Amino acid sequence: MVHNAQVGLFLVTLKEAISNGNFVVIQREKNNEFLALTGMTPQERENVILSLRTNDYMSGLEEDRGNPGEKDIWKFKKKYIGRDIYIKFKLIPIEDGFYAKCLSFHEADI
């Protein structure tokens, strides 16, 4: 079970990685379609991510389907302009901190 403090630490680490330029949104069709459908800019998407709080947490430390055995996937749901947005992340350790990957950013269908 993940405690609120762990979610808070994850968010601090995520936001630090973003501020250091160690961040990428994976270019998946569903992610790109969401931006096109809503007219959201990449900067607005980043602002939504930076606004995440512990109460937006859905689940975390789930297994990475691309790397079986690694439990490092975090999921959030954020209300934005009347839509529930599903956001999924992975933090990758690097020499001076972490590199953040946003794996999913689209309308929640769960």
Side-chain angles (χ1 to χ4, degrees):
M1 176 173 204
V2 174
H3 297 284
N4 214 27
Q6 289 172 282
V7 176
L9 180 59
F10 171 83
L11 289 172
V12 167
T13 305
L14 171 71
K15 292 172 185 183
E16 184 177 286
I18 292 170
S19 71
N20 290 334
N22 296 327
F23 176 68
V24 67
V25 177
I26 302 303
Q27 297 301 309
R28 294 197 167 127
E29 187 174 343
K30 199 168 187 177
N31 297 341
N32 294 335
E33 284 176 356
F34 179 75
L35 289 191
L37 175 71
T38 61
M40 183 183 283
T41 66
Q43 184 59 55
E44 287 171 317
R45 174 179 55 202
E46 189 172 305
N47 291 342
V48 169
I49 292 168
L50 289 171
S51 75
L52 287 172
R53 298 181 342 181
T54 55
N55 62 339
D56 299 316
Y57 168 80
M58 282 179 50
S59 62
L61 293 176
E62 294 183 9
E63 188 164 323
D64 181 351
R65 291 186 310 218
N67 295 298
E70 291 185 21
K71 289 194 169 202
D72 54 5
I73 301 295
W74 293 78
K75 297 177 182 178
F76 293 81
K77 191 187 302 187
K78 179 78 174 174
K79 182 73 88 180
Y80 182 77
I81 309 179
R83 298 176 187 263
D84 284 327
I85 301 173
Y86 170 76
I87 311 169
K88 182 166 70 172
F89 299 102
K90 177 176 182 157
L91 288 177
I92 300 165
I94 58 174
E95 186 175 313
D96 60 345
F98 287 89
Y99 190 83
K101 282 187 179 183
C102 179
L103 305 170
S104 298
F105 189 99
H106 52 76
E107 193 153 10
D109 52 14
I110 56 172

